[in-house]
Every structure is written in structure tokens, then in C-alpha cells.
Amino acid sequence: MDDSNVVTFGPHLNEIVDEADATMHESLLETQSCEIFKRTERMMAEARAEMKLRMDKCFSDFSNDMNQMFAKFEGQAMKSMSTPILGRGIESTANSLEHIVRHGKTDKNNSHISDIRQSKPDISCKIKPQIYDGSDDLEEYLTQFDLLAEINDWDPKTKALLLASSLSGSARAILNEITDRERHDFECLVNALKNRFGSMNRSEIFRAELQTRVRMKNETLPELAQAIKKLTRRAYPDTTALVMDTLSLDYFIDAIPETDIRLRLREVGPTSINEAENIAVRLEALRIADIQKGRNVRTVETETL
């Protein structure tokens, strides 16, 4: 039989090949997609591990820095326990250190409290100022206070707070006579103290005292010179150093009751009160030695007779 006229109904060979290629292509795409997905998952896992490692290192470094900071602060605080405080003796800081460390850890969960505390001045006192009650010389106290402020590196606000906390007695009453802003202003607080205890408003009183000042009983010449310098500075606060030294020299010589020493100083003509003090001390020593020698001579003559 001739097969040329037979009609077949099965799939064509080209169609079978196309379907096989399509299946293979889909399988290849699926394989590539799986590889890309696995690679992405691996990269994300590595990124998460790297991030966790960096965060752990960051927290570890932060913890070490905090521990070193507290250790350094504790060492400085313990060292300051043995430092004498002018006018107050030795002061312990162990309780305050424990309080600061404890509240410092608590503030980690209270950021607003930390912000408030950070706005306050960081007061560091290597040497604390003495108490001022108004009886001592204000200019001398403020001079020493400025030196302490330079040693401790205080800013103006810290200086105002420490000066206000160092007032006592009649000087402390000034704090209620000024405003809250002036209490935190160092210049305003100093001006208020000068108006009450300064030499500017009492210069006439000091001048009258200076004119009548004489050497007291059992008072040494160096003590007399120091008192004259102080009175001259308070009686003439606006004069120059040269004029003040000249005035103190004249008042010092006039305050010596011994006529021979006073006249000898006028004859020698010292140029400063320090020079006059040295000459007067030598003259007084010679005078006392001469008096003692005269007594010994009279005693020997009496015993001979």
C-alpha cells in the first residue's frame, strides 16, 4: 500500500523540539533565580552579622570609655581628699562621688534630666575660697579669689556662684538685696560688695585713721609698715602706685614714736616705705643694743663700788 496518502494526526517534530527548549529555558531561569535568591540571602546574613559585630564593638568601646572616665574622675576625687582647703581644712568627696556615679547611670534612661544637668556649669575646685563675712579687707579677699579662679579655670558664671556661696554674716545679707540675675553675674555681685564693704565710700574714714595712726605697744616695725600700707591703699583707692608709696612712706615715719629713729629716717631720706622699714629695724636694733650696753656698764660700776 502507498503511504503517501496516509494522514498522520500526531505532534510535529518541530513542535516537540520547541517545547523541550521552552522547558529547559524555564528550568534554567528557575535555577538562576534560586541561586540569586540564595546569594542575596547570604549577603543579607553577612550584612546582619557585620552590623551586629560593629554594634557590639561600639557598645564595648563606649562601656570601656565610660569605665575609664569614671575611674579617672574617682582617682582625681580621691586625690583631692588629701588637699587642704583654705579656711576649711580637709574635705571628703567620697559621698558626692558615689552620688554622681549613681545618678550618672540612672540618667541614661532619662535624657531630659541629663540635658538639664549638662546645662549647669561644671564646677571644679582644686582649692576652695575662704568665707567672707565683711570684717576683712574686701580688696584683699577679691584679689585672692581671682587667683583661685585662675587656678581652677572658672568661667564668670562659676565665679559668681562660688563667690555667692562663700559669703557669710553681713556679707551674705547682700544676696537678698539684689536680683536673681545679679546673683549669677560676677561683676554685679562684686559691685554690690564694693558698695557695702569697699574702700571707695569710706575713704574719708580711713584718711582720718591714717593721720592719727601711731605705733602701738608691742607692735613691731614690720607690722606697723604693713598696717600703714593697708590704710593708705584704703584711704586713697584711686591714686597711682607711686603716689601711694610716697604717702605710705610719710605716714610710716610719722607713726614712729621714737624721736631718734624718726629724725634719723628723715635725715637718711629713704625712697620707699620698704627701704624705710629696713633702716628703722636696724636703727631700733642698735638703739636696743646701746641701751642694754649702758645698763651693763652701770651694773659693773655699782658692783665695783
Side-chain angles (χ1 to χ4, degrees), residues 213-215 221 224 251-259 261-262 265 276 280:
R213 183 69 163 84
V214 293
R215 184 182 183 184
L221 288 172
L224 175 62
Y251 284 117
F252 172 71
I253 296 176
D254 292 337
I256 299 176
E258 293 80 9
T259 305
I261 298 178
R262 187 171 65 253
L265 285 174

Side-chain angles (χ1 to χ4, degrees), residues 138-164:
L138 178 62
E139 283 73 17
E140 294 178 355
Y141 179 82
L142 291 177
T143 300
Q144 185 186 45
F145 187 88
D146 288 335
L147 293 175
L148 292 177
E150 184 177 354
I151 293 174
N152 294 291
D153 195 19
W154 295 333
D155 57 14
K157 185 176 181 179
T158 303
K159 290 171 63 176
L161 293 175
L162 287 174
L163 179 59

